[in-house]
Amino acid sequence: QVQLVESGGGLVQAGGSLRLSCAVSGRTSNTDAMGWFRQAPGKEREFVAAINWSGGRLYYADSVKGRFTISRDNAKNTVYLQMNSLKPEDTAVYYCGAGRTVWKYDYWGQGTQVTVSS
């Protein structure tokens, strides 16, 4: 089993920044990819960004390119999502996922709320 714990969410004004963290523990040998997803009220969960533990390849949704940055600290088993120039439409619960590839996730965190006020 893999455990994921997100932190760093909160309330911020439009144009502000937040950094989310996802601490990973447990049997991580079968998980090479880490991703961030978000779900706004009444909407489906959508992909935000992903990174490989091994090669460090990065993937971003078009809606966040140039504003969000995903990174990892292998020594700390932690993945980060730096979010700059936040917009009200970024408001959602943000989830961290772990999986074998960036396109298939097997484990999820509990989510952290991000609210951007206009």
Side-chain angles (χ1 to χ4, degrees):
Q1 284 286 18
V2 175
Q3 292 80 42
L4 308 173
V5 179
E6 302 102 331
S7 61
L11 173 64
V12 64
Q13 288 188 333
S17 299
L18 282 174
R19 189 178 80 156
L20 305 183
S21 299
C22 176
V24 186
S25 61
R27 291 175 173 256
T28 60
S29 57
N30 291 331
T31 59
D32 184 55
M34 297 294 300
W36 286 97
F37 289 72
R38 66 187 182 187
Q39 187 166 19
K43 294 187 177 181
E44 294 185 354
R45 188 175 297 191
E46 65 174 1
F47 169 78
V48 176
I51 187 170
N52 293 104
W53 284 113
S54 55
R57 291 189 64 181
L58 309 179
Y59 305 81
Y60 293 99
D62 288 343
S63 58
V64 306
K65 279 181 182 176
R67 300 188 299 122
F68 291 10
T69 303
I70 188 170
S71 62
R72 73 193 194 282
D73 185 328
N74 290 22
K76 294 183 178 179
N77 276 350
T78 300
V79 176
Y80 304 96
L81 185 68
Q82 177 67 43
M83 305 186 294
N84 298 328
S85 302
L86 282 161
K87 305 175 181 179
E89 51 263 44
D90 294 319
T91 295
V93 177
Y94 283 70
Y95 296 92
C96 175
R100 284 161 281 183
T101 75
V102 296
W103 311 120
K104 180 173 174 58
Y105 294 84
D106 302 300
Y107 305 97
W108 296 94
Q110 81 288 351
T112 185
Q113 176 71 47
V114 171
T115 303
V116 184
S117 63
S118 57

